[in-house]
Structures are given as structure tokens and as C-alpha cells.
Amino acid sequence: MRHLLIALAAFVPLAGIASAEAATLDDVMARGTVSCGVHTGLLGYAAPDNAGRWAGFDVDYCRALAAAIFNDADAVTFSPLSASERFTALQGTSVDLLARITTWTMSRDTTLGLNFAAVNYFDGQGFLVRRADGFTSAADLNGGSICVQTGTTTELNVTDFFAANNMTFNPVVFERIDEATAAYESGRCDAYTSDASGLYGTRLTLASPGDHMVLSDVISKEPLSLAVRQGDDQWFDIVKWLHNALLNAEELGVTSENVDEMLNSENVNIRRLLGTEGTFGESIGLSNAWAYQAIKLVGNYGEIFDRNLGAGSPIGIARGLNALWTNGGLQYALPIR
Amino acid sequence: MARHFVRSEVLAARPAPRRPFDPIGWLSTNLFSSPLNIAATVLSVALIAKLLPPALDWAIFDAVWVGSSREACVGPGVGACWAFVWAKIGQFIHGHYPVGERWRVDLFFVLFAAGLIPMAIPRVPFKRLNAVYLILALPLVSLLLLYGGVFGLRVVPTSQWGGLLVTIIVAAVGIATSIPLGILLALGRRSKMPVIRMLSIAFIEFWRGIPLITVLFMSSVMLPLFLPPGVDFDKLLRALIGIALYASAYMAEAVRGGLQSLPRGQYEAAGSLGLGYWPTMRKVILPQALRVSIPGIVNTAIALLKDTSLVIVIGLFDLLGIIQSNFADSNWASPATPATGYIFAALVYWVMAFAVSRYSLFLERRLDVGRRH
């Protein structure tokens, strides 16, 4: 028995070191695909399309990563993960990237053995209202009744928000999301509150989506982020700079359509981004055309957003906080130089 | 001259006396025989009149049968969105299996049916050969066919399997492994050897004492934490093992019920013939006990078939899982989509469960389970 314990004790730290030093990029190269943890089915973020191909905002990040590494947006193995198993999947090396609407919090960042590489979507709690009621901001809801799912942070957030602004509201609480939305639709509440991205999805399932709108006010912070395993700085850099490359591409006007013409651009920022100048790709272990490949095959940040969530999709989410910093949003592209 | 006290020849059968069909008499005996009966009839008719037309309107007359996106299914007064089911049917059957390789799944269904249907029809000969095919050849061939990696077939990892394929694999493997395991456990529980008896009881009570969803969570969330990094059990395999062990505990109890219904005399008779333990079980006890256990075994099998839908909690997409995940396709999100999808899932499960149930009734009649001892 004692021998067994000693053997185990010797084995555990070694295993820890082995995983910390494992070069994810080498594993991915050897395997030939990026293993990507996504949602099991969430409107706009990850869902199978008509042909059964995974599509969505988070899914496109997996595809962009595969394009940057392999020049093939389909070199991805998707692992649909439930909320409870997503972190163990990342710790257990069965996925290389977790792109699954995961909120970046300090406790997760520091205790779960993972690192958040970038916020790819700034979400927050919002309100869904009927257009006919004429509400234009959350302040107009003073004294109104609001449908909310009980036992969630949503309920706390809305209470705090109204208290902090010296307003009152009449909460109508439900155990389940579909009950809450049904009550809202039947007119029991003036507004339904949940995370804004979810509200747009809910709107699609109402009988006449056009009669409803999501108020632009956001009352909580939900920075949805890309996560990688802790202890592999190179892989962390690849994911972080992939996000920044997609943002830079939008800022510089480089799209999947014009990226080939842009290769001849005189603009030094574009030349650095597309790898015609400098060796930025090589510094993270990829080819210098890494960003070119991702943009060409998947598109820049704006294209990914529009196609899956924004004006180009049935969901129609406004850019809001996710607009580029130059347009008053929070998406700030770190410079590639 | 022999005297007969009983009739020595069978009388020729005569046709049953014809009763003129009397609608009013039929109604008054069957529907309006008592005040309670009258009330029940009126209430039932009123309920049907109230519920059936809207249900038919929704499911058939106002339903959308063709369409290429959510636009077809949005609008006032639109019923079920069957266009959604039609557009996604390939996924509902094959899951995320690559489109170009779906023929392999279809071929598996054909091979499976080719083994199961002749096995189920008593008249078809070569039962022994058929059983060998079902138990040995089919699993091996299916594994090679579906997983690939041989004969130039592309490897399709189990994470891409889904839909009806996963439902059938999980249910079939679960049922096929739990019946023999359950028989062994039931015999073990009635064994005279204390160690075997205690182990069997412990096993059965442990697996019956925890919910299936816990088993699945343990297998997918806890197990990886105990394994060294880099070692990764296949998720489908983990689910299969968990479900098989879980179901075998229930099967064991169904079989034990059959064993207990046999009188002691059967054991004693077998013993007096000089049969040992295993010949006694194989030739005398089990044939009778299993026949009595059929309703219990089928009950467990049908429950297992429906419980397969729980594998969604570990990120496997069985039939229900793949339907649910397609609700999130923004091209099809509409008020009618989830209801239509759920009804379709219910229909498919019902057809499968009903088929199993009818077959077991046929089997019971054939084996004369209702016979009194």
C-alpha cells in the first residue's frame, strides 16, 4: 500500500509538469485538427446549419484558428460541451480552445487552470419590450412589471439596478425561461429581462418578432471570452493575437472579399497584418500568412459578427458594446507591430 | 361391446349464432348504461370535440409542409413547422456524421435490420447462425464501418455520431449487454455462496440507488479528473458502459422475479436427475423463469430506450439532443419550431417503444406466459 502511495505521489506532480509543458500547437499539428469546445446549441453562437455543419459566432473563432494554422477552416473537431463539463474538458486536454460563451471572472481565471485570451463578445443584461409601448430606455420602466427567471444573477442584477436608480418595479418571477417569455408575450409584463444576446434569440421565437425590441441599456457585465489551458504561453498568444488580428482587419478595412487585393497595399499596418512585412506569424509558431488565411477563409471580426449575430442574420443584434473602439464600442485592436 | 361414457368423436364445429347488429343496444350497454357512464361519455365527447380540431388544425391543416427557412413558419395562425423537420431529417438520423459518409450509417441500419428482423420471426430458420451474426459479427463490422480507419474508410470519431444512430446504438448495446449481465446478477443474488451473493446484492443496490443522470455525469465530468492527462476515454464508450451497468441492475431484479416464481420442486426435480448447478439453470430453471420475466425485461428495455435521451447532459447528441440543438439554428428559429421538433421526437420514440411492446406481447402469447402452473 505504501509503495502504491509513493508511486502515486511521484506520478501526480510529474503529470502536472507534463501537461504544463505540453506544446498545444505541436499536438494540434500532429493531430491535423484544432479541437474546439463549443455550446451544444445556442442561437447565433453555435448550432448546426441545414447541412449539419457547425455555424455560429463562437464556431467561427474555431474555424479562424484552424484557418490560421492549417489554411483550412474545416480542420476543426467540434466538442459540444454542456456548461458543467466545459472546464474539465479544457483541463483534461480534450479541447484546445474553449469558445463557449464563457464569462471571464477572476475566480475562474485564477482557480480553474485556464487563461482567458480575449473577450470576443461583450454581453450584459438587457430588457426586451414591445415597440407599441413606447419605452426607449430602462428608466422608462419605472413602476412597470418585469418578467424574470428566478434564482439567477439576472434577478439580482435587475433588483440592484432599480434600487440604485431610486426606481421601483414589480417582479414577475418564473422558474423556467420559456415560462417567463410566454408570460411576457401574453402581456403580463412590460418587459422581459435576461442577457441581451439571449433576448435577441428569444425575440426570434415570438409570434411577431418585429413588434418587439431590445433596449440599448445594459445593466450588467458579461464579458464572454475565449479560454485556453494555463501553462502554454505560445498557444495563449496564438488565440489572443488571432482575436486581435480579426479586429485589426476590420479596423483597417480588410475583409474576406478584398484581402487578396490588400496584399498589395502600401499601408504598413495592413502589410504587417497580412504578413507581407515582418515575421509576426513566425513569432507565434505559425506561418506569416496566418492572419491572411483566417481573414480570407472566415472573415474579419465585423464579418463574423454580422453573419452570425448582426444585421446579416435573422437575429439582428446591434453592434453596441461590440463595435470597434473607433465607433464608440469596446473592441480595441491591440497593434500588430 | 365397449361402452363409452364420454363422446368418442368430435362434433363438427358450427358457426357462431349471428346477432343482428343493434346500434342502439350497443350504445346503451357500452356508453349509456349508468349515470356515471353517461357522464363519462358526455365528458369524453366534449373533450374530444374541444381538443381534437385545434390539434388537427395545428398539426395538419395549418401546418407548414414546405419551406427553406424560418420565414415559411412565421406569421399569424401558422401551425406546426414540418418544413423544419424535413430540412433537418438527415441530421436527425445521422447526427453530425459527415454528409459524404452518411451511407455508412445507412448501411449499418440495413445490416442491423437484416440481423434483427429474421431473428424476431420464429419461422425463419438458421437461428443459431443468426445469433452469431447479431452477437459477434454485427458489432465488429459496425464498429469498423462506422468508426472507419480500415479499407480506406475515413475515421469518423464518435463525437460526430448522433441522432437516431446514437439512440439505437446506446439502446441496443444497453439492452444486449444488460440481459446476460442481469441474468448472472440475478443468479448471483440467489446463490448459496455468501461472497457472490453479497457482491451481487451490493452491485444491484448500488446501481439501482443512483439516478442514471448521476452515472452519466460521473462518467463524463469526474472520471477525467482521475485519469492522467492525455488519457481520454471515448465519451460514447463511457456512456455505453455506464448505461449497461445501470440497466443490468434493473434486468437482474426483473429476472429474479421470474426465478422466485418457480416452485422449489423444479430445483429438486433437476437435482434428482443428477443435474449440476449450471445444467439445472440452463435446462430447467432459466427457460421457465425467463418466460415469466418477459414483461419485466421488456419494461426495463423500453425504459432504457427512452432513457438514452439523457446522454445529452454529457454532450452526446442522440435523437432528442440533435433535434434540440437544431432549435438554435437561427435560420429556423420560430415560435412553432420547438413544438414541432418535440412532437416529431415523441412520434419516433413512440413508434420504437410501441414496436418493442407489441413484439413482447406476441412473444408472451407464443411462449404462453399466462399459463398457470
Side-chain angles (χ1 to χ4, degrees):
Chain A
M1 190 62 202
R2 183 182 293 168
H3 291 293
L4 184 68
L5 283 179
I6 291 170
L8 276 177
F11 177 72
V12 169
L14 271 179
I17 292 165
S19 74
E21 285 183 349
T24 311
L25 183 59
D26 293 342
D27 294 346
V28 168
M29 290 289 205
R31 197 189 313 134
T33 63
V34 175
S35 180
C36 204
V38 294
H39 200 284
T40 50
L42 183 66
L43 218 61
Y45 289 87
D49 65 8
N50 271 0
R53 198 169 171 270
W54 282 95
F57 182 76
D58 281 342
V59 166
D60 275 351
Y61 267 84
C62 303
R63 295 195 183 279
L65 184 59
I69 297 172
F70 298 111
N71 195 19
D72 176 4
D74 287 321
V76 188
T77 309
F78 290 103
S79 290
L81 299 170
S82 63
S84 57
E85 62 177 358
R86 55 181 159 176
F87 297 121
T88 39
L90 191 61
Q91 291 152 2
T93 73
S94 62
V95 299
D96 307 314
L97 169 66
L98 187 65
R100 193 199 173 283
I101 58 152
T102 302
T103 304
W104 185 340
T105 64
M106 183 167 173
S107 61
R108 284 177 176 174
D109 202 351
T110 52
T111 61
L112 290 177
L114 53 80
N115 277 330
F116 288 101
V119 181
N120 63 345
Y121 187 94
F122 289 96
D123 203 356
Q125 191 175 335
F127 297 95
L128 182 68
V129 297
R130 274 173 286 272
R131 276 184 205 281
D133 289 348
F135 299 119
T136 54
S137 78
D140 294 345
L141 292 169
N142 192 6
S145 56
I146 296 176
C147 282
V148 61
Q149 191 189 4
T150 183
T152 58
T153 51
T154 348
E155 193 181 358
L156 289 175
N157 290 337
V158 70
T159 312
D160 290 351
F161 171 77
F162 276 80
N165 289 289
N166 288 323
M167 303 194 299
T168 57
F169 78 108
N170 177 22
V172 185
V173 294
F174 292 92
E175 196 65 43
R176 291 161 49 91
I177 293 177
D178 46 358
E179 290 169 358
T181 51
Y184 163 73
E185 196 174 15
S186 70
R188 266 189 75 186
C189 320
D190 299 313
Y192 166 60
T193 185
S194 179
D195 283 349
S197 60
L199 289 180
Y200 283 97
T202 301
R203 196 174 68 134
L204 268 191
T205 63
L206 300 179
S208 46
D211 295 348
H212 306 266
M213 59 181 266
V214 179
L215 295 178
S216 57
D217 294 281
V218 172
I219 62 167
S220 75
K221 290 184 288 189
E222 298 287 342
L224 307 183
S225 308
L226 306 169
V228 296
R229 240 183 323 283
Q230 199 164 310
D232 184 347
D233 288 351
Q234 182 194 34
W235 187 250
F236 176 73
D237 284 345
I238 290 173
V239 173
K240 176 171 63 184
W241 284 101
L242 173 73
H243 173 67
N244 282 294
L246 298 177
L247 286 180
N248 272 304
E250 186 184 9
E251 192 176 322
L252 296 166
V254 181
T255 66
S256 56
E257 306 278 315
N258 69 13
V259 65
D260 285 316
E261 300 156 33
M262 287 291 185
L263 283 174
N264 306 319
S265 168
E266 296 297 318
N267 183 333
V268 69
N269 285 322
I270 294 179
R271 293 177 65 81
R272 286 189 190 121
L273 172 68
L274 299 181
T276 45
E277 190 167 316
T279 55
F280 296 99
E282 283 172 18
S283 65
I284 50 172
L286 303 178
S287 82
N288 285 329
W290 65 292
Y292 164 81
Q293 293 164 2
I295 297 162
K296 170 88 178 160
L297 296 175
V298 181
N300 67 32
Y301 182 81
E303 290 178 281
I304 293 174
F305 190 99
D306 276 351
R307 178 168 60 231
N308 297 301
L309 302 169
S313 81
I315 304 175
I317 302 184
R319 280 294 286 271
L321 292 176
N322 293 292
L324 292 182
W325 64 292
T326 46
N327 298 331
L330 294 176
Q331 291 292 3
Y332 184 97
L334 306 178
I336 295 180
R337 66 164 183 260
Chain B
M1 176 97 187
R3 287 182 60 188
H4 294 283
F5 292 98
V6 290
R7 196 184 286 279
S8 61
E9 73 282 355
V10 179
L11 278 181
R14 282 183 300 171
R18 279 179 68 92
R19 203 167 39 180
F21 181 65
D22 171 14
I24 293 169
W26 184 86
L27 284 175
S28 62
T29 47
N30 289 299
L31 297 179
F32 299 101
S33 59
S34 69
L36 189 68
N37 214 336
I38 292 171
T41 303
V42 170
L43 203 66
S44 309
V45 170
L47 259 180
I48 291 173
K50 185 113 183 79
L51 296 181
L52 195 62
L56 284 180
D57 276 349
W58 185 84
I60 297 171
F61 301 117
D62 291 339
V64 178
W65 297 90
V66 284
S68 55
S69 76
R70 64 184 294 274
E71 303 300 330
C73 299
V74 177
V78 168
C81 184
W82 297 114
F84 163 73
V85 173
W86 184 241
K88 303 277 190 177
I89 189 77
Q91 275 184 71
F92 293 172
I93 294 171
H94 308 92
H96 295 296
Y97 215 85
V99 176
E101 309 284 323
R102 280 181 180 173
W103 61 269
R104 285 155 60 177
V105 178
D106 298 333
L107 183 59
F108 160 75
F109 284 134
V110 171
L111 291 176
F112 184 65
L116 197 64
I117 292 172
M119 196 67 192
I121 302 173
R123 276 201 311 277
V124 178
F126 308 121
K127 281 284 181 279
R128 190 170 295 249
L129 204 66
N130 203 332
V132 171
Y133 168 76
L134 263 183
I135 295 167
L136 292 177
L138 184 68
L140 201 67
V141 170
S142 305
L143 186 67
L144 295 179
L145 178 69
L146 293 173
Y147 188 78
V150 288
F151 309 123
L153 290 174
R154 214 176 107 193
V155 170
V156 181
T158 55
S159 59
Q160 295 185 22
W161 302 13
L164 194 61
L165 173 68
V166 159
T167 297
I168 290 202
I169 287 182
V170 173
V173 171
I175 292 168
T177 52
S178 65
I179 289 177
L181 262 180
I183 292 174
L184 287 180
L185 282 169
L187 292 178
R189 190 165 186 166
R190 289 171 58 81
S191 168
K192 291 197 179 67
M193 289 181 274
V195 175
I196 290 183
R197 190 172 62 238
M198 293 312 288
L199 284 178
S200 301
I201 291 175
F203 182 93
I204 292 170
E205 295 304 334
F206 173 76
W207 288 98
R208 280 209 309 171
I210 49 179
L212 180 56
I213 204 158
T214 316
V215 178
L216 294 173
F217 265 127
M218 287 288 284
S219 76
S220 94
V221 182
M222 298 293 288
L223 197 62
L225 295 178
F226 300 133
L227 294 172
V231 176
D232 193 26
F233 267 122
D234 190 273
K235 205 147 77 169
L236 180 64
L237 185 65
R238 281 183 290 182
L240 282 177
I241 294 173
I243 287 179
L245 294 180
Y246 177 83
S248 61
Y250 282 87
M251 286 292 182
E253 291 300 278
V255 174
R256 190 166 68 99
L259 288 174
Q260 277 173 345
S261 75
L262 292 191
R264 279 182 65 85
Q266 295 292 318
Y267 295 86
E268 288 160 358
S272 71
L273 290 174
L275 293 179
Y277 178 78
W278 288 110
T280 304
M281 290 303 151
R282 203 159 52 81
K283 292 186 187 303
V284 179
I285 303 301
L286 282 179
Q288 301 181 71
L290 288 182
R291 202 177 55 190
V292 181
S293 312
I294 286 178
I297 290 177
V298 171
N299 216 6
T300 310
I302 289 180
L304 179 63
L305 175 68
K306 292 185 290 186
D307 280 350
T308 56
S309 55
L310 287 175
V311 297
I312 190 163
V313 301
I314 59 169
L316 287 175
F317 293 97
D318 71 318
L319 179 67
L320 186 63
I322 195 90
I323 291 177
Q324 272 180 332
S325 96
N326 272 295
F327 295 161
D329 181 354
S330 52
N331 282 319
W332 283 102
S334 77
T337 308
T340 311
Y342 283 130
I343 290 210
F344 177 73
L347 272 176
V348 176
Y349 280 112
W350 184 81
V351 166
M352 291 193 291
F354 187 68
V356 174
S357 154
R358 296 309 295 186
Y359 182 70
S360 93
L361 274 186
F362 161 76
L363 211 58
E364 282 174 33
R365 262 200 305 277
R366 192 180 141 77
L367 297 176
D368 199 14
V369 175
R371 190 188 64 185
R372 296 275 173 268
H373 290 293

